[in-house]
Amino acid sequence: MVLPVFARRIISGVDWILFFAVLPLLFFGLVTMSSFTDANMFFEKQLIWIAVGLFFFFLFASIDAGPLKKTGFLVSLFAFALALLLLVAFTGSAVKGARSWFNLGFFSFEPADPVKLLIILMLAKYFSRRHVEIAHYKHILISGLYAFIPFILIMLQPDFGSGLIIFLIWLGMVMVSGVSKKHLFIIFSIGVISFGMLWMFVFKPYQKNRILTFIHPLTDIRGAGYNAYQSTIAVGSGEIWGKGIGYGTQSRLKFLPEYETDFVFAAFAEEWGFAGIFLFFLLIGIVIWRILTNALIGATNFEMLFGMGLAIFFMSHIIVNVGMNIGLLPVTGIPLPFMSYGGSHLVTEFIGLGVLMSMRRNSRAAHRDAMKNEFLGI
């Protein structure tokens, strides 16, 4: 009787539209990274990570997410995650100058990925308990502290990409929580003015050049902008229908680096063309739509805010990764959800969706309109 009950919990909790929209994205990533090497090392390892991710997805979808609403349990998880970030900054394996990974021999683990999920949970908990008084400016500062501590620890590694995602998660959740936009504007104005003063009176010329090259990498295509330049060539050369699977010259001839991780979007665009890109964004749109739909039927403000934060998490990754693939944003090493090679980010994505499915099982659909109006302040 245990297995049928377990199966019924999964069937009743999972949003199958969302699930079946994710599967083609996983397939796109697999065929793209398997097109350029005879050994298929990335393909085979990614299959294992997909299996692990799906296991955690169905596991978290089947169990009760109630403990995540308990302050003591959530704070303990958050404190443990911060300890891991501090530890990896000094003892982690160095990859391209950043100590972001724990090398455990048979696999590597990047603690910054699950920390993003914990920040969403922490902010959802904080804002859900202060819905009535949320307009007070102190909530911007206190919630900012929750994000600032892991942000600093991640920047010690240094990992600017993950730090940027944490900032975007905090900013997005602040904006949807009902915090006063006037207070938020004042705080950001102070930040902009401070940076302007540093730019005019503190930064040296070589420091300014480094910042400008980082923001606009295509101004130095033989140096810092080489990867971004090759990526834009790959995206453009795909044209309407693409060159076909395995025939991407920029990727196949190794002009495009990191085709299986940071620049998988460019490799995919070169082989699948505009048609493939359109299908990719269609599927991503369905995933975000289903996440937001499940958020709006959450049983409480906590579930709703978590769903909103999870949507912001995915959209931030997609915007930053695609932006750097087409030369509009700096190259920061942010993976493309469900498609980039790697286990830490993939398992984190599936755990986030699994938690959302668990919350969905306890949602109150009959109260959707009333709760939507409460959340939006209507």
Side-chain angles (χ1 to χ4, degrees), residues 187-204 208 211:
I187 290 177
F188 272 95
S189 297
I190 294 173
V192 170
I193 293 172
S194 300
F195 180 80
M197 298 295 289
L198 290 172
W199 182 269
M200 290 187 293
F201 303 110
V202 178
F203 290 158
K204 304 296 183 181
K208 294 181 180 181
I211 295 173

PDB file of all heavy atoms in Angstrom, residues 187-204 208 211:
ATOM      1  N   ILE A 187      17.108  54.488  -1.738  1.00  0.00           N
ATOM      2  CA  ILE A 187      18.281  53.671  -1.421  1.00  0.00           C
ATOM      3  C   ILE A 187      19.143  53.461  -2.663  1.00  0.00           C
ATOM      4  O   ILE A 187      20.381  53.570  -2.617  1.00  0.00           O
ATOM      5  CB  ILE A 187      17.837  52.322  -0.816  1.00  0.00           C
ATOM      6  CG1 ILE A 187      17.264  52.554   0.587  1.00  0.00           C
ATOM      7  CG2 ILE A 187      19.006  51.340  -0.764  1.00  0.00           C
ATOM      8  CD1 ILE A 187      16.722  51.329   1.249  1.00  0.00           C
ATOM      9  N   PHE A 188      18.514  53.184  -3.799  1.00  0.00           N
ATOM     10  CA  PHE A 188      19.271  52.979  -5.027  1.00  0.00           C
ATOM     11  C   PHE A 188      19.918  54.284  -5.502  1.00  0.00           C
ATOM     12  O   PHE A 188      21.016  54.265  -6.069  1.00  0.00           O
ATOM     13  CB  PHE A 188      18.373  52.395  -6.116  1.00  0.00           C
ATOM     14  CG  PHE A 188      18.325  50.900  -6.096  1.00  0.00           C
ATOM     15  CD1 PHE A 188      17.308  50.241  -5.435  1.00  0.00           C
ATOM     16  CD2 PHE A 188      19.312  50.151  -6.710  1.00  0.00           C
ATOM     17  CE1 PHE A 188      17.264  48.866  -5.392  1.00  0.00           C
ATOM     18  CE2 PHE A 188      19.282  48.769  -6.682  1.00  0.00           C
ATOM     19  CZ  PHE A 188      18.259  48.119  -6.022  1.00  0.00           C
ATOM     20  N   SER A 189      19.259  55.384  -5.268  1.00  0.00           N
ATOM     21  CA  SER A 189      19.845  56.675  -5.634  1.00  0.00           C
ATOM     22  C   SER A 189      21.115  56.942  -4.852  1.00  0.00           C
ATOM     23  O   SER A 189      22.112  57.433  -5.400  1.00  0.00           O
ATOM     24  CB  SER A 189      18.828  57.800  -5.402  1.00  0.00           C
ATOM     25  OG  SER A 189      17.698  57.645  -6.230  1.00  0.00           O
ATOM     26  N   ILE A 190      21.084  56.609  -3.574  1.00  0.00           N
ATOM     27  CA  ILE A 190      22.285  56.768  -2.742  1.00  0.00           C
ATOM     28  C   ILE A 190      23.421  55.897  -3.287  1.00  0.00           C
ATOM     29  O   ILE A 190      24.580  56.322  -3.356  1.00  0.00           O
ATOM     30  CB  ILE A 190      21.978  56.408  -1.279  1.00  0.00           C
ATOM     31  CG1 ILE A 190      20.986  57.422  -0.683  1.00  0.00           C
ATOM     32  CG2 ILE A 190      23.262  56.365  -0.446  1.00  0.00           C
ATOM     33  CD1 ILE A 190      20.498  57.065   0.702  1.00  0.00           C
ATOM     34  N   GLY A 191      23.071  54.659  -3.689  1.00  0.00           N
ATOM     35  CA  GLY A 191      24.074  53.756  -4.248  1.00  0.00           C
ATOM     36  C   GLY A 191      24.672  54.284  -5.540  1.00  0.00           C
ATOM     37  O   GLY A 191      25.891  54.221  -5.754  1.00  0.00           O
ATOM     38  N   VAL A 192      23.818  54.817  -6.418  1.00  0.00           N
ATOM     39  CA  VAL A 192      24.285  55.356  -7.703  1.00  0.00           C
ATOM     40  C   VAL A 192      25.180  56.574  -7.484  1.00  0.00           C
ATOM     41  O   VAL A 192      26.239  56.716  -8.120  1.00  0.00           O
ATOM     42  CB  VAL A 192      23.090  55.714  -8.605  1.00  0.00           C
ATOM     43  CG1 VAL A 192      23.560  56.487  -9.836  1.00  0.00           C
ATOM     44  CG2 VAL A 192      22.344  54.460  -9.029  1.00  0.00           C
ATOM     45  N   ILE A 193      24.777  57.461  -6.577  1.00  0.00           N
ATOM     46  CA  ILE A 193      25.573  58.650  -6.296  1.00  0.00           C
ATOM     47  C   ILE A 193      26.936  58.262  -5.708  1.00  0.00           C
ATOM     48  O   ILE A 193      27.983  58.828  -6.069  1.00  0.00           O
ATOM     49  CB  ILE A 193      24.818  59.589  -5.332  1.00  0.00           C
ATOM     50  CG1 ILE A 193      23.577  60.155  -6.027  1.00  0.00           C
ATOM     51  CG2 ILE A 193      25.728  60.723  -4.848  1.00  0.00           C
ATOM     52  CD1 ILE A 193      22.664  60.942  -5.107  1.00  0.00           C
ATOM     53  N   SER A 194      26.929  57.267  -4.815  1.00  0.00           N
ATOM     54  CA  SER A 194      28.182  56.806  -4.214  1.00  0.00           C
ATOM     55  C   SER A 194      29.126  56.249  -5.275  1.00  0.00           C
ATOM     56  O   SER A 194      30.337  56.540  -5.264  1.00  0.00           O
ATOM     57  CB  SER A 194      27.893  55.741  -3.151  1.00  0.00           C
ATOM     58  OG  SER A 194      27.070  56.261  -2.124  1.00  0.00           O
ATOM     59  N   PHE A 195      28.560  55.444  -6.199  1.00  0.00           N
ATOM     60  CA  PHE A 195      29.401  54.897  -7.270  1.00  0.00           C
ATOM     61  C   PHE A 195      29.936  56.014  -8.155  1.00  0.00           C
ATOM     62  O   PHE A 195      31.100  55.980  -8.588  1.00  0.00           O
ATOM     63  CB  PHE A 195      28.599  53.904  -8.110  1.00  0.00           C
ATOM     64  CG  PHE A 195      29.399  53.298  -9.240  1.00  0.00           C
ATOM     65  CD1 PHE A 195      30.274  52.253  -9.002  1.00  0.00           C
ATOM     66  CD2 PHE A 195      29.272  53.779 -10.540  1.00  0.00           C
ATOM     67  CE1 PHE A 195      31.026  51.699 -10.030  1.00  0.00           C
ATOM     68  CE2 PHE A 195      30.003  53.227 -11.580  1.00  0.00           C
ATOM     69  CZ  PHE A 195      30.882  52.174 -11.320  1.00  0.00           C
ATOM     70  N   GLY A 196      29.103  57.019  -8.433  1.00  0.00           N
ATOM     71  CA  GLY A 196      29.551  58.145  -9.240  1.00  0.00           C
ATOM     72  C   GLY A 196      30.701  58.902  -8.595  1.00  0.00           C
ATOM     73  O   GLY A 196      31.661  59.302  -9.279  1.00  0.00           O
ATOM     74  N   MET A 197      30.636  59.077  -7.287  1.00  0.00           N
ATOM     75  CA  MET A 197      31.714  59.755  -6.576  1.00  0.00           C
ATOM     76  C   MET A 197      32.993  58.930  -6.629  1.00  0.00           C
ATOM     77  O   MET A 197      34.099  59.473  -6.809  1.00  0.00           O
ATOM     78  CB  MET A 197      31.307  60.000  -5.115  1.00  0.00           C
ATOM     79  CG  MET A 197      30.092  60.912  -4.963  1.00  0.00           C
ATOM     80  SD  MET A 197      30.411  62.605  -5.532  1.00  0.00           S
ATOM     81  CE  MET A 197      31.517  63.167  -4.252  1.00  0.00           C
ATOM     82  N   LEU A 198      32.854  57.605  -6.465  1.00  0.00           N
ATOM     83  CA  LEU A 198      34.029  56.735  -6.561  1.00  0.00           C
ATOM     84  C   LEU A 198      34.641  56.804  -7.958  1.00  0.00           C
ATOM     85  O   LEU A 198      35.867  56.828  -8.114  1.00  0.00           O
ATOM     86  CB  LEU A 198      33.638  55.292  -6.228  1.00  0.00           C
ATOM     87  CG  LEU A 198      33.280  54.988  -4.774  1.00  0.00           C
ATOM     88  CD1 LEU A 198      32.727  53.570  -4.647  1.00  0.00           C
ATOM     89  CD2 LEU A 198      34.502  55.163  -3.868  1.00  0.00           C
ATOM     90  N   TRP A 199      33.773  56.826  -8.974  1.00  0.00           N
ATOM     91  CA  TRP A 199      34.258  56.862 -10.361  1.00  0.00           C
ATOM     92  C   TRP A 199      35.038  58.143 -10.651  1.00  0.00           C
ATOM     93  O   TRP A 199      36.088  58.118 -11.289  1.00  0.00           O
ATOM     94  CB  TRP A 199      33.062  56.743 -11.309  1.00  0.00           C
ATOM     95  CG  TRP A 199      33.451  56.714 -12.767  1.00  0.00           C
ATOM     96  CD1 TRP A 199      33.582  57.765 -13.611  1.00  0.00           C
ATOM     97  CD2 TRP A 199      33.780  55.553 -13.525  1.00  0.00           C
ATOM     98  NE1 TRP A 199      33.950  57.344 -14.864  1.00  0.00           N
ATOM     99  CE2 TRP A 199      34.083  55.986 -14.844  1.00  0.00           C
ATOM    100  CE3 TRP A 199      33.834  54.189 -13.241  1.00  0.00           C
ATOM    101  CZ2 TRP A 199      34.433  55.103 -15.858  1.00  0.00           C
ATOM    102  CZ3 TRP A 199      34.185  53.306 -14.245  1.00  0.00           C
ATOM    103  CH2 TRP A 199      34.485  53.766 -15.539  1.00  0.00           C
ATOM    104  N   MET A 200      34.547  59.258 -10.137  1.00  0.00           N
ATOM    105  CA  MET A 200      35.173  60.551 -10.441  1.00  0.00           C
ATOM    106  C   MET A 200      36.414  60.835  -9.604  1.00  0.00           C
ATOM    107  O   MET A 200      37.384  61.412 -10.096  1.00  0.00           O
ATOM    108  CB  MET A 200      34.150  61.679 -10.248  1.00  0.00           C
ATOM    109  CG  MET A 200      33.042  61.702 -11.296  1.00  0.00           C
ATOM    110  SD  MET A 200      31.985  63.164 -11.147  1.00  0.00           S
ATOM    111  CE  MET A 200      31.195  62.852  -9.561  1.00  0.00           C
ATOM    112  N   PHE A 201      36.423  60.406  -8.338  1.00  0.00           N
ATOM    113  CA  PHE A 201      37.483  60.860  -7.436  1.00  0.00           C
ATOM    114  C   PHE A 201      38.372  59.753  -6.857  1.00  0.00           C
ATOM    115  O   PHE A 201      39.402  60.048  -6.261  1.00  0.00           O
ATOM    116  CB  PHE A 201      36.869  61.646  -6.266  1.00  0.00           C
ATOM    117  CG  PHE A 201      36.050  62.824  -6.698  1.00  0.00           C
ATOM    118  CD1 PHE A 201      34.666  62.814  -6.556  1.00  0.00           C
ATOM    119  CD2 PHE A 201      36.653  63.937  -7.268  1.00  0.00           C
ATOM    120  CE1 PHE A 201      33.899  63.898  -6.951  1.00  0.00           C
ATOM    121  CE2 PHE A 201      35.891  65.033  -7.666  1.00  0.00           C
ATOM    122  CZ  PHE A 201      34.516  65.013  -7.516  1.00  0.00           C
ATOM    123  N   VAL A 202      37.967  58.486  -6.996  1.00  0.00           N
ATOM    124  CA  VAL A 202      38.712  57.403  -6.350  1.00  0.00           C
ATOM    125  C   VAL A 202      39.341  56.448  -7.360  1.00  0.00           C
ATOM    126  O   VAL A 202      40.535  56.148  -7.282  1.00  0.00           O
ATOM    127  CB  VAL A 202      37.807  56.613  -5.372  1.00  0.00           C
ATOM    128  CG1 VAL A 202      38.588  55.455  -4.739  1.00  0.00           C
ATOM    129  CG2 VAL A 202      37.264  57.541  -4.295  1.00  0.00           C
ATOM    130  N   PHE A 203      38.555  55.947  -8.332  1.00  0.00           N
ATOM    131  CA  PHE A 203      39.059  54.944  -9.257  1.00  0.00           C
ATOM    132  C   PHE A 203      40.198  55.499 -10.121  1.00  0.00           C
ATOM    133  O   PHE A 203      40.121  56.625 -10.625  1.00  0.00           O
ATOM    134  CB  PHE A 203      37.948  54.442 -10.171  1.00  0.00           C
ATOM    135  CG  PHE A 203      36.929  53.594  -9.469  1.00  0.00           C
ATOM    136  CD1 PHE A 203      35.653  53.442 -10.002  1.00  0.00           C
ATOM    137  CD2 PHE A 203      37.223  52.947  -8.285  1.00  0.00           C
ATOM    138  CE1 PHE A 203      34.699  52.669  -9.367  1.00  0.00           C
ATOM    139  CE2 PHE A 203      36.284  52.173  -7.636  1.00  0.00           C
ATOM    140  CZ  PHE A 203      35.020  52.037  -8.171  1.00  0.00           C
ATOM    141  N   LYS A 204      41.240  54.677 -10.289  1.00  0.00           N
ATOM    142  CA  LYS A 204      42.347  55.019 -11.181  1.00  0.00           C
ATOM    143  C   LYS A 204      41.943  54.708 -12.625  1.00  0.00           C
ATOM    144  O   LYS A 204      40.998  53.947 -12.865  1.00  0.00           O
ATOM    145  CB  LYS A 204      43.597  54.221 -10.802  1.00  0.00           C
ATOM    146  CG  LYS A 204      44.029  54.388  -9.355  1.00  0.00           C
ATOM    147  CD  LYS A 204      44.444  55.816  -9.065  1.00  0.00           C
ATOM    148  CE  LYS A 204      44.948  55.943  -7.620  1.00  0.00           C
ATOM    149  NZ  LYS A 204      45.331  57.331  -7.297  1.00  0.00           N
ATOM    150  N   LYS A 208      39.104  51.971 -14.122  1.00  0.00           N
ATOM    151  CA  LYS A 208      37.967  52.341 -14.964  1.00  0.00           C
ATOM    152  C   LYS A 208      37.953  51.501 -16.238  1.00  0.00           C
ATOM    153  O   LYS A 208      36.888  51.049 -16.686  1.00  0.00           O
ATOM    154  CB  LYS A 208      38.029  53.831 -15.305  1.00  0.00           C
ATOM    155  CG  LYS A 208      37.841  54.761 -14.126  1.00  0.00           C
ATOM    156  CD  LYS A 208      37.906  56.217 -14.572  1.00  0.00           C
ATOM    157  CE  LYS A 208      37.731  57.166 -13.399  1.00  0.00           C
ATOM    158  NZ  LYS A 208      37.777  58.593 -13.808  1.00  0.00           N
ATOM    159  N   ILE A 211      36.608  48.017 -15.569  1.00  0.00           N
ATOM    160  CA  ILE A 211      35.154  48.022 -15.401  1.00  0.00           C
ATOM    161  C   ILE A 211      34.459  48.162 -16.752  1.00  0.00           C
ATOM    162  O   ILE A 211      33.497  47.446 -17.055  1.00  0.00           O
ATOM    163  CB  ILE A 211      34.724  49.152 -14.451  1.00  0.00           C
ATOM    164  CG1 ILE A 211      35.268  48.890 -13.040  1.00  0.00           C
ATOM    165  CG2 ILE A 211      33.207  49.297 -14.422  1.00  0.00           C
ATOM    166  CD1 ILE A 211      35.048  50.037 -12.069  1.00  0.00           C
TER     167      ILE A 211
END
